Amino acid sequence: IADTCDYHYRAWKEVFAEHGFNFKKEDFMQFFGRRHDTIIRFGLGDKVPEEQFDAITENKQQTYRRIITGNITALPGALELIRSLCDNGVKQAIASSAPFDNIRIITRGLGIESCFQAVASGIEVKDSKPDPAVFLLAAEKLGAAPANCIVFEDAPAGVASARAAGMTCVAVASSVDADKLTDADLVEPDPESGQRVVPIPATRIAEHELGRRIVANIVMLGALTAVTGVVSEEAMRKAILERVPKGTEELNMKAFQMGFDYGRGLVVER
């Protein structure tokens, strides 16, 4: 939703410096999207006393909130998509490794807190990303089946978590290079980078009793196209045809049409 990567790194670097550890950017990037306990153990080892562990965590949180307050910038297109989905009655949840205070500082700062029907925090689950627990908790809070969820992620650990949860994943390369996110169903490069969309073959499919196999992520893209209007139907069809494996064009267009018709029906009902 927002470009927070550098603010998290700066906060960790400042806190670790107080303990004599030089936390480098490459160290941070390999743990980007992971929970604090994992990062602290990397920097200071496994023998950190519990009381010190909690103090380091709280220090980092306060440092991060101090640094980012007044500097929150939404990723290109994020607010438009979130508000469009909200306006059209599509349920949305946040599934983050961050604590609730950090989540709220972003959603309130961007004025989108009311767009989300559920929030799942890493502090509520035992295992952090890439474990799927936080995504499964978000789906449970929404009352949605994991197979019916689309995840937007910007970190490799988050992509792995979404895939493990059985959800379709769209990765946005705003913080890491697109080639590190190719386990997602679709990778959208940073809009300001000038890169093209990474062509992930649409071969991850779900079984449906619809007479044949349907490409699940293409069905969902069709529904999103109809509901949001962010991308035109013609442009999305063209983008899909440019990227799917040869010989699957007809199947993918039928899948897209099925999703598009469903999404259009939701709009008409509203």
Side-chain angles (χ1 to χ4, degrees), residues 90-159:
V90 178
K91 291 182 179 180
Q92 299 179 86
I94 291 177
S96 174
S97 298
F100 289 108
D101 285 345
N102 287 10
I103 296 170
R104 280 191 290 266
I105 203 171
I106 298 298
T107 56
R108 290 178 181 175
L110 295 174
I112 54 173
E113 188 174 26
S114 63
C115 291
F116 297 94
Q117 288 72 51
V119 176
S121 167
I123 66 173
E124 297 181 279
V125 296
K126 178 181 178 181
D127 297 311
S128 63
K129 299 175 183 179
D131 187 272
V134 72
F135 282 121
L136 294 173
L137 177 61
E140 180 182 340
K141 288 186 175 185
L142 278 182
N148 293 334
C149 295
I150 301 177
V151 172
F152 290 84
E153 258 292 349
D154 63 352
V159 171

Side-chain angles (χ1 to χ4, degrees), residues 20-35:
F21 178 65
N22 181 22
F23 192 54
K24 299 177 181 178
K25 187 64 175 285
E26 54 265 34
D27 296 330
F28 171 74
M29 293 310 300
Q30 68 174 307
F31 291 102
F32 182 54
R34 305 285 290 274
R35 213 162 56 180

Side-chain angles (χ1 to χ4, degrees), residues 214-232:
I214 302 297
V215 184
N217 56 314
I218 300 296
V219 175
M220 293 182 184
L221 284 175
L224 280 174
T225 301
V227 168
T228 67
V230 173
V231 180
S232 71

